[in-house]
Amino acid sequence: MFAKVIVDVPTYHVDRAFDYVVPAHLQTLIEVGSRVKVPFGRRPVLGFVIALTTDSDVPANKLKSIATLMDLEPVLTPELLALAQWLKQQTICFQIDALQAMLPSALRAKYEKAVDVLVAPASLPSDLQPFVRNNDKMHYQELEKANMLPLVKKEVQRGHLRITTKVKQRGNVKRIRYVKIGTAAEIERALTKVSTRAKKQQALLAWCKAHSDELVLPRDIDASAAVLNQIIAHGAATYVEKEVYRDPFTQPIKKTAPLTLTTAQQRAKDALQLDEAGTYLLHGVTGSGKTEVYLQAIQQVIDAGKQAIMLVPEIALTPQMTERFRGRFGERVAVMHSGLSSGEKFDEWRKITQQEVQVVVGARSAIFAPFTNVGIIILDEEHEATYKQEDAPRYHARDVAIWRSEFHQCPVILGSATPSLESYARAKKGVYTLLTLEERAMNQPLPSVEVVDMRDELRSGNRSMFSVSLLEEMQAALARQEQIVLFLNRRGYSSFVMCRDCGTVVQCQNCDISLTYHRNQEKLRCHYCGYEASVPKTCSTCASDRIRYFGTGTQKVEEAIYQHFPSARVLRMDVDTTRKKGAHEQILGAFGRKEADILLGTQMIAKGLDFPNITVVGVLSADTSLHLPDFRASEKTFQLLTQVSGRAGRHEKLGRVVVQTYTPTHYAITLAQQQAYVPFYEQEMRYRQRAGYPPYFFIALIQVTHTDVLQAGHYAQLAASWLRQQLPSVHIIGPTASAISRLQNRYRYQCLIKYKIEPNLIPTLHRLLAMYRADWQKQGVQLTVDLDPSMI
Ligand code: ADP
Ligand code: ZN
Ligand code: ZN
């Protein structure tokens, strides 16, 4: 018996299956989809069995044997193996990357297997009985050593034994390092040891005196790590580690019953053909009750004994969202999101493989849920860019959903208030079935949106970041004890630091990008590579000391709010306040309980907020996303404004939205104001056609990077000319420097390929990658190919 194995060595030369002999003792155990350890070169590597055969073309003396079988039960289904093959082809990745992407990361970490005995030990085969411990456990390794696994496998299939896997949870129990400030006496003693000239140590010790016996985070201490370590060496403080516990999974969930569908919802649900493959675009305004349609369609699917995959963008995967599913389907739901530790994710994945649940709610990668009888796949907020993975395999969850729906002969629903142009165009062409919900579920009017021209505000002498209208609305809402959401597409206190005399902006050392000022740490930080610097006192170019902070960040807005409304209670939600696990939920929870009047945040708050008491939404600067160097800038701005506006007045109370902008006549803004999706679609389509962008053309992005700028340019040029030669009828733009021309000390060039139907494209790109892997890679070049990139 032979196995075809994909090994975990991602290089071009090995991106194919290798034949291995299956030793006799594994022949009854091994299955397609199992993981194995095989000798490869000089070391054993991990591999996936993708086929079992009775013969091999490789001469017998060249064949090696499988060393270890890692799974008694396969980890991948035949469907997922086929899908990996397709992903390799379509997204131009290594097959091993596609296979790994389908599995929870915990399977790559260390874990222990144990065997649970589910019956009286006496009813097990007599050979196994000596292995039973405490009447209900067996050691997997003992069984393995004694060659008992074939018997074990039979008993597992009979339901007498169960193999359990315990992930050694490195990431699970989280530990945080604190600094325990010493007692007053300890600090005094340290003071005697420190020279009076060591000003920084003296200052820190003085601070410690005021905080003796306290437990603080290192980042809350206003001193460098070096100074801190010095005073620790003098005994004035110590490091202590503490475990932090996750918030347990919210309260018991209230069971909910299906709502009576509105006529429009019923019509949409009736249009779904549940036993054939087909893609539906559910276009429903915010609050139109799309989720209720999903819930009832899923109910029908699980009643028919099938399973459902529900995808939600990561940032919309709030407890509020998951509770709607748990409330309806209870324990039949698995939830997968990045807030879970790898051990917890693994547990959810096990529930799916064991068919203990019928519904999975999760972010992008949940599209690979190993269900074997899928009855429906839903992507909510289908326009979200996060459905596209940015690293290999660079897949779009929508494409994978459609592939799986064809495999299982089941429908895919793409839902959105602002569908991507691509999807809406396909629906108009009849490739997808268009379903529309034009009104809000409870007939609430859409909020009225006022657009304020900030240039007028300035002219009339208002230098505040709030327009007069917005201030009035906020004032009124606070007086009515209603809640306000303020939306700002920025983070940090000020976006960047600039010299007012010569215009020099402080840049990252490693990247061609300006550093962002973070006020609470008094630090400049690169959002791309994490580089940190302190704020310069003088300009590095002209030595001027007229350094100024530019741009407006959430912290600065928070201060401005307090100036106008000193007694308002403000919650801020941005990358800084949500770095800690669970912080997201905490902030939203507090806002939901009305512990604050104003929620201020970045795009994180645009999604999924559904609180009855929000009546005013303010967009502080609608222009920020409009001027990004991206052909989707208008589309993203329209989507964002529509989504944010949709947070207001979702229940009984009417909502008001104020959008502040310097370009009040831009169609993305005026049409978002009217919530007029179709006119926006039509206008944007004309622009895309003129400019030759999707959905009229497909695009592929080739990116070439190198630590040497000349080499980067040279290889980008090589790639471009080679592609022009191979694909004479295709439009190839570039090479040009990327929008961020240097990142982490690598210079970046790119070529853009625009194409319609080009059967040669994918084979040609495969050959380009082969050339790169065989040759260029050794020269320090990195080349990536991204079909349908979400940003260019
Ligand atoms: P969407 O997902 O389209 O933004 P939701 O599903 O969140 O909309 O629905 C908006 C609100 O309307 C929710 O509070 C929901 O409970 C309510 N709702 C939805 N469908 C119905 C219905 N058929 N009857 C009563 N209320 C409904
Ligand atoms: Zn200067
Ligand atoms: Zn950087």
Side-chain angles (χ1 to χ4, degrees):
M1 193 186 211
F2 303 93
K4 294 202 176 294
V5 176
I6 300 281
V7 291
D8 188 7
V9 182
T11 63
Y12 180 65
H13 302 282
V14 295
D15 191 26
R16 61 177 177 88
F18 287 84
D19 286 6
Y20 284 89
V21 174
V22 181
H25 70 280
L26 295 181
Q27 292 191 359
T28 55
L29 297 175
I30 198 162
E31 286 186 59
V32 168
S34 300
R35 292 172 312 150
V36 289
K37 280 266 167 68
V38 292
F40 192 87
R42 258 178 286 153
R43 57 203 179 100
V45 299
L46 178 79
F48 290 85
V49 177
I50 60 161
L52 292 167
T53 57
T54 49
D55 50 31
S56 166
D57 297 336
V58 184
N61 60 348
K62 289 261 166 67
L63 280 173
K64 294 176 185 163
S65 289
I66 289 176
T68 323
L69 175 67
M70 309 207 25
D71 309 298
L72 271 195
E73 295 156 308
V75 292
L76 288 168
T77 61
E79 180 209 355
L80 292 178
L81 291 172
L83 176 57
Q85 190 83 41
W86 180 80
L87 279 173
K88 166 187 172 168
Q89 192 58 32
Q90 289 300 307
T91 71
I92 317 189
C93 69
F94 293 117
Q95 199 162 343
I96 189 71
D97 289 336
L99 293 167
Q100 295 281 29
M102 297 174 173
L103 293 175
S105 59
L107 278 179
R108 266 168 272 157
K110 281 214 159 76
Y111 58 92
E112 265 169 13
K113 284 201 207 101
V115 180
D116 288 344
V117 181
L118 306 174
V119 292
S123 45
L124 291 175
S126 53
D127 283 352
L128 286 181
Q129 291 179 15
F131 293 91
V132 180
R133 306 264 179 280
N134 292 336
N135 268 328
D136 63 353
K137 281 253 180 296
M138 298 200 273
H139 287 303
Y140 187 89
Q141 277 170 347
E142 273 179 32
L143 293 161
E144 190 172 23
K145 276 203 203 101
N147 273 331
M148 289 294 156
L149 291 185
L151 265 183
V152 170
K153 183 159 183 159
K154 279 208 192 91
E155 295 303 298
V156 168
Q157 281 158 354
R158 291 169 65 189
H160 291 175
L161 298 178
R162 182 174 59 207
I163 301 194
T164 58
T165 313
K166 199 164 172 294
V167 181
K168 285 203 182 135
Q169 300 186 339
R170 211 179 345 148
N172 193 23
V173 184
K174 220 172 127 194
R175 295 178 147 272
I176 287 193
R177 194 153 79 142
Y178 286 87
V179 178
K180 172 92 166 59
I181 312 293
T183 60
E186 283 166 339
I187 296 165
E188 285 303 332
R189 217 170 305 137
L191 269 169
T192 63
K193 296 184 204 160
V194 173
S195 139
T196 45
R197 274 171 314 181
K199 289 272 182 285
K200 285 183 179 162
Q201 290 187 54
Q202 292 281 356
L204 181 53
L205 284 170
W207 182 86
C208 285
K209 257 195 200 162
H211 293 83
S212 68
D213 273 335
E214 282 180 23
L215 200 58
V216 297
L217 287 167
R219 66 153 186 268
D220 293 335
I221 295 177
D222 187 22
S224 70
V227 174
L228 176 60
N229 286 333
Q230 282 161 348
I231 70 135
I232 285 177
H234 291 311
T238 46
Y239 284 121
V240 288
E241 290 209 336
K242 272 186 71 151
E243 264 179 31
V244 283
Y245 299 100
R246 307 170 19 79
D247 279 340
F249 236 143
T250 55
Q251 316 79 9
I253 315 141
K254 259 190 264 128
K255 197 99 185 108
T256 64
L259 303 171
T260 311
L261 294 181
T262 63
T263 322
Q265 283 172 321
Q266 189 68 50
R267 205 180 309 123
K269 186 173 163 275
D270 290 346
L272 300 172
Q273 298 288 321
L274 289 179
D275 4 277
E276 56 186 66
T279 306
Y280 299 82
L281 177 62
L282 179 58
H283 176 212
V285 298
T286 53
S288 57
K290 296 184 286 297
T291 313
E292 189 61 32
V293 176
Y294 305 152
L295 287 166
Q296 298 202 15
I298 291 172
Q299 184 71 57
Q300 205 176 332
V301 161
I302 59 181
D303 288 347
K306 296 184 189 177
Q307 302 135 353
I309 300 176
M310 174 80 219
L311 298 191
V312 178
E314 184 71 56
I315 53 174
L317 204 51
T318 56
Q320 227 190 358
M321 185 73 191
T322 54
E323 269 169 33
R324 291 178 79 173
F325 288 85
R326 288 174 182 261
R328 199 63 61 84
F329 307 117
E331 295 305 308
R332 307 172 83 174
V333 183
V335 176
M336 300 248 232
H337 63 86
S338 66
L340 302 180
S341 69
S342 69
E344 289 162 333
K345 274 185 213 153
F346 179 76
D347 294 343
E348 297 298 295
W349 180 82
R350 282 288 287 178
K351 287 188 203 159
I352 300 169
T353 55
Q354 301 293 302
Q355 318 279 335
E356 285 169 21
V357 292
Q358 285 78 48
V359 182
V360 60
V361 180
R364 180 180 62 226
S365 64
I367 194 58
F368 298 119
F371 282 135
T372 50
N373 191 9
V374 179
I376 195 165
I377 304 175
I378 301 168
L379 276 77
D380 193 28
E381 313 281 6
E382 70 89 30
H383 60 276
E384 276 294 319
T386 54
Y387 282 127
K388 173 74 195 296
Q389 173 149 308
E390 296 299 327
D391 311 318
R394 296 182 172 79
Y395 68 91
H396 199 297
R398 184 172 54 210
D399 301 332
V400 177
I402 293 173
W403 189 94
R404 293 197 75 179
S405 82
E406 276 157 14
F407 185 93
H408 291 281
Q409 288 298 303
C410 74
V412 173
I413 306 181
L414 308 174
S416 177
T418 52
S420 64
L421 260 69
E422 284 88 340
S423 293
Y424 202 78
R426 277 178 214 144
K428 287 196 68 165
K429 272 171 65 183
V431 182
Y432 301 162
T433 307
L434 182 62
L435 309 171
T436 320
L437 301 176
E438 289 181 9
E439 258 134 47
R440 286 188 155 182
M442 294 176 288
N443 265 318
Q444 318 88 313
L446 286 167
S448 71
V449 180
E450 180 186 351
V451 174
V452 178
D453 187 342
M454 290 307 275
R455 294 168 308 182
D456 288 346
E457 298 285 320
L458 213 57
R459 263 178 238 132
S460 61
N462 177 10
R463 303 195 148 267
S464 145
M465 60 181 83
F466 304 109
S467 58
V468 173
S469 277
L470 182 54
L471 284 176
E472 281 170 7
E473 292 296 347
M474 289 170 70
Q475 182 77 64
L478 289 171
R480 293 191 304 262
Q481 304 201 330
E482 292 168 354
Q483 287 174 298
I484 300 163
V485 171
L486 291 182
F487 175 78
L488 181 78
N489 200 6
R490 276 284 167 84
R491 58 181 180 179
Y493 180 84
S494 272
S495 300
F496 56 97
V497 172
M498 190 169 98
C499 166
R500 293 174 81 180
D501 287 328
C502 76
T504 298
V505 172
V506 184
Q507 300 265 329
C508 174
Q509 278 193 344
N510 313 316
C511 312
D512 179 23
I513 204 101
S514 47
L515 294 175
T516 302
Y517 177 54
H518 287 259
R519 190 168 163 260
N520 47 0
Q521 289 117 341
E522 284 284 332
K523 277 275 156 64
L524 295 170
R525 189 177 303 136
C526 173
H527 284 175
Y528 286 85
C529 75
Y531 169 79
E532 266 192 10
S534 42
V535 183
K537 299 265 181 302
T538 56
C539 171
S540 61
T541 311
C542 74
S544 155
D545 58 2
R546 307 208 321 150
I547 304 282
R548 235 199 88 175
Y549 308 120
F550 273 86
T552 306
T554 42
Q555 293 184 24
K556 205 161 161 183
V557 178
E558 187 178 0
E559 281 172 15
I561 296 172
Y562 287 129
Q563 276 165 21
H564 288 285
F565 308 107
S567 59
R569 296 164 305 163
V570 182
L571 274 173
R572 186 158 63 83
M573 184 148 133
D574 56 24
V575 273
D576 289 327
T577 60
T578 54
R579 202 163 283 136
K580 258 187 258 148
K581 208 164 104 178
H584 224 103
E585 288 79 23
Q586 252 169 21
I587 296 175
L588 288 179
F591 196 61
R593 292 188 301 272
K594 301 191 194 174
E595 289 166 18
D597 309 301
I598 301 175
L599 176 64
L600 163 67
T602 56
Q603 56 260 55
M604 284 179 195
I605 61 173
K607 308 274 178 282
L609 271 181
D610 185 11
F611 295 126
N613 202 37
I614 300 175
T615 55
V616 172
V617 169
V619 178
L620 293 176
S621 163
D623 311 87
T624 339
S625 56
L626 205 52
H627 303 307
L628 293 175
D630 180 353
F631 73 90
R632 289 195 177 94
S634 299
E635 183 181 4
K636 287 184 179 154
T637 304
F638 179 85
Q639 286 164 349
L640 216 58
L641 291 180
T642 311
Q643 292 291 345
V644 190
S645 309
R647 300 306 115 210
R650 291 168 71 83
H651 297 258
E652 292 79 31
K653 295 172 184 161
L654 283 186
R656 309 256 315 136
V657 180
V658 178
V659 174
Q660 304 187 154
T661 172
Y662 290 90
T663 43
T665 54
H666 192 287
Y667 65 98
I669 291 173
T670 54
L671 293 173
Q673 176 185 20
Q674 300 156 31
Q675 306 246 359
Y677 176 80
V678 176
F680 173 80
Y681 165 82
E682 283 163 357
Q683 181 147 356
E684 182 69 9
M685 284 294 271
R686 285 195 287 275
Y687 154 69
R688 300 284 179 90
Q689 183 170 32
R690 257 197 331 271
Y693 281 122
Y696 288 96
F697 285 84
F698 296 109
I699 50 177
L701 184 70
I702 317 286
Q703 190 137 50
V704 177
T705 74
H706 199 286
T707 50
D708 181 288
V709 64
L710 295 175
Q711 292 290 317
H714 169 67
Y715 280 97
Q717 189 60 57
L718 268 184
S721 6
W722 186 83
L723 285 168
R724 286 198 174 96
Q725 209 173 38
Q726 303 296 316
L727 301 165
S729 57
V730 170
H731 193 33
I732 294 163
I733 301 165
T736 54
S738 303
I740 299 169
S741 61
R742 186 171 58 120
L743 198 61
Q744 307 201 342
N745 281 324
R746 299 186 69 88
Y747 291 88
R748 293 147 44 98
Y749 280 86
Q750 64 186 38
C751 308
L752 201 59
I753 306 178
K754 288 184 178 175
Y755 60 102
K756 284 208 156 168
I757 292 169
E758 183 51 59
N760 270 330
L761 182 81
I762 288 201
T764 306
L765 292 176
H766 275 283
R767 275 164 46 222
L768 173 68
L769 236 68
M771 206 156 75
Y772 150 70
R773 286 165 184 163
D775 216 3
W776 301 6
Q777 208 165 15
K778 291 186 213 109
Q779 316 299 321
V781 178
Q782 273 174 19
L783 180 145
T784 56
V785 174
D786 193 351
L787 290 151
D788 184 24
S790 60
M791 274 240 276
I792 60 169

